[in-house]
Amino acid sequence: MDLRQLRYFVAVARERNFTRAAEQLNIAQPPLSRQIQLLEEELGVILITRTSRPVKLTDAGRLLYEQALQVLGRVDQMKDATRRVGMNRNRVLSIGFVASTLYGGLPVLVRKLRQNAPELDIQLLEMLSIQQVAALKEGRIDIGFGRMRHNDPNVVATILREERLVVALPQDSVLAQDEGPIRLSDIADQRLIVYPKEPRPSYADQVLSLLQEEEIRPRDVLEVREIQTALGLVAADSGVCIIPSSARQMRSDVRYRVIDSPGATSPVIMNHRAGDTSRYLDLIRRLIREMYAEKPAWLAANNLAAPDPDP
């Protein structure tokens, strides 16, 4: 087994099609098929079921795919780190984040991290929660801060806190005239704007599940790609939107009311690769504990209960 065979296999597993994988790899299909066959012969198992369209991975194929992503990701990281050392450049630490975490502690954490580890070249990459899981396994990021729970055994998820949810309302709407908590039933006859439209599952599904659990059906649902668009539509009196409390800072031309329901929360989740023993991961954990211990105003204002300071 060599890295070239793993890259070929990953391309086929992603595309679920030998022809498209060959085009992506810029090689002919026969040698691609032959390398996959040699890999199967070496392992003694079938990795891909070729009789279906699109092709499907066997159980062994799915296991190899997950492991191959990690191996190839770490190889790419090794190459980059070696080049950076050779060029006397700092180590890169890539952090994936969902947009709403920019208003709930991530900037403070990054500032503390820069102060405590000035040798790091910190890269911040906005990506959805579900994209972070794949990016971690592929080695494209080192840490992720998202909002979606998952059960991927290759990625460790730590819930840092449960953040309140609020309803964003047009300034002139009847519901915006009261500043107190709002019941979910109060928005049953409203157009609900949810984000992101894709990929799914996502935060949009968290919101829709919350409404379904309380047997509330909005008048209709409008799906948009990002929170900025959703809040812009609220400001234009095109509907209402449920957002994490800390994201209230994004726009001042809409009104916000906290949802009066114990289940109306969204987790802030830190994700990292299973088996990661980096000292920078331990440093990030310590800095988060310190940040929570300082009891900043945004933490008390946006969380249903005091978070566990020991993630």
Side-chain angles (χ1 to χ4, degrees):
M1 182 189 304
D2 58 35
L3 293 178
R4 181 186 60 171
Q5 288 178 323
L6 287 182
R7 294 190 190 280
Y8 285 2
F9 171 72
V10 165
V12 175
R14 279 178 175 161
E15 296 297 327
R16 298 291 197 268
N17 183 284
F18 278 87
T19 301
R20 288 199 300 270
E23 291 173 352
Q24 181 190 94
L25 295 166
N26 200 27
I27 62 173
Q29 184 175 333
L32 171 61
S33 299
R34 179 56 181 163
Q35 288 302 317
I36 300 299
Q37 184 181 358
L38 289 174
L39 184 59
E40 290 177 322
E41 291 175 358
E42 178 181 350
L43 295 173
V45 295
I46 298 299
L47 300 171
I48 298 173
T49 302
R50 296 163 173 79
T51 55
S52 63
R53 293 292 182 274
V55 298
K56 295 181 180 179
L57 297 180
T58 64
D59 289 342
R62 283 191 290 271
L63 175 62
L64 181 63
Y65 177 60
E66 295 287 346
Q67 297 296 321
L69 287 177
Q70 295 189 55
V71 169
L72 294 174
R74 297 307 292 270
V75 168
D76 289 340
Q77 280 188 320
M78 178 184 66
K79 290 179 179 178
D80 182 66
T82 302
R83 293 191 189 102
R84 298 184 74 82
V85 169
M87 298 170 65
N88 294 317
R89 295 170 63 188
N90 293 344
R91 171 179 171 172
V92 173
L93 183 75
S94 297
I95 300 176
F97 67 95
V98 293
S100 60
T101 57
L102 284 176
Y103 302 90
L106 181 60
V108 177
L109 174 62
V110 172
R111 285 198 299 271
K112 287 179 176 289
L113 190 55
R114 293 190 196 281
Q115 293 166 1
N116 284 267
E119 73 278 9
L120 284 179
D121 180 1
I122 300 173
Q123 295 183 349
L124 295 171
L125 304 171
E126 182 180 353
M127 57 179 62
L128 302 176
S129 298
I130 193 172
Q131 295 171 329
Q132 292 179 26
V133 174
L136 281 165
K137 293 192 294 185
E138 295 170 14
R140 290 185 285 115
I141 63 173
D142 302 293
I143 300 285
F145 292 95
R147 292 188 177 275
M148 192 179 74
R149 293 176 172 86
H150 66 83
N151 56 6
D152 193 307
N154 299 298
V155 175
V156 177
T158 302
I159 297 178
L160 301 180
R161 63 183 186 273
E162 290 283 351
E163 188 173 340
R164 290 185 179 99
L165 295 180
V166 302
V167 179
L169 302 158
Q171 285 184 326
D172 298 329
S173 72
V174 174
L175 293 175
Q177 306 315 305
D178 187 343
E179 296 183 356
I182 187 173
R183 296 172 300 178
L184 283 172
S185 58
D186 292 336
I187 65 171
D189 61 343
Q190 302 289 315
R191 167 184 282 180
L192 179 67
I193 304 167
V194 298
Y195 67 92
K197 183 177 183 179
E198 56 186 4
R200 306 291 276 272
S202 68
Y203 173 75
D205 297 291
Q206 292 181 15
V207 170
L208 295 174
S209 295
L210 173 64
L211 294 175
Q212 185 176 17
E213 288 170 3
E214 301 208 10
E215 299 182 348
I216 295 169
R217 296 181 180 178
R219 187 181 73 205
D220 61 286
V221 176
L222 174 62
E223 298 181 353
V224 298
R225 292 189 179 278
E226 55 188 22
I227 185 173
Q228 292 89 345
T229 303
L231 290 177
L233 289 173
V234 173
D237 200 9
S238 296
V240 303
C241 182
I242 295 176
I243 66 170
S245 177
S246 58
R248 288 181 288 186
Q249 302 175 54
M250 296 185 71
R251 290 190 77 109
S252 59
D253 55 352
V254 299
R255 295 287 182 263
Y256 303 98
R257 293 178 63 183
V258 173
I259 298 174
D260 185 13
S261 171
T265 63
S266 176
V268 175
I269 302 173
M270 181 178 74
N271 294 299
H272 64 83
R273 280 182 293 275
D276 187 346
T277 57
S278 166
R279 69 183 183 90
Y280 295 112
L281 180 58
D282 289 335
L283 174 60
I284 288 172
R285 290 194 183 102
R286 177 172 67 81
L287 295 177
I288 291 174
R289 289 195 296 270
E290 291 179 1
M291 183 172 66
Y292 284 175
E294 293 168 0
K295 300 186 185 305
W298 60 263
L299 192 62
N302 297 321
N303 292 277
L304 193 63
D308 182 352
D310 191 13

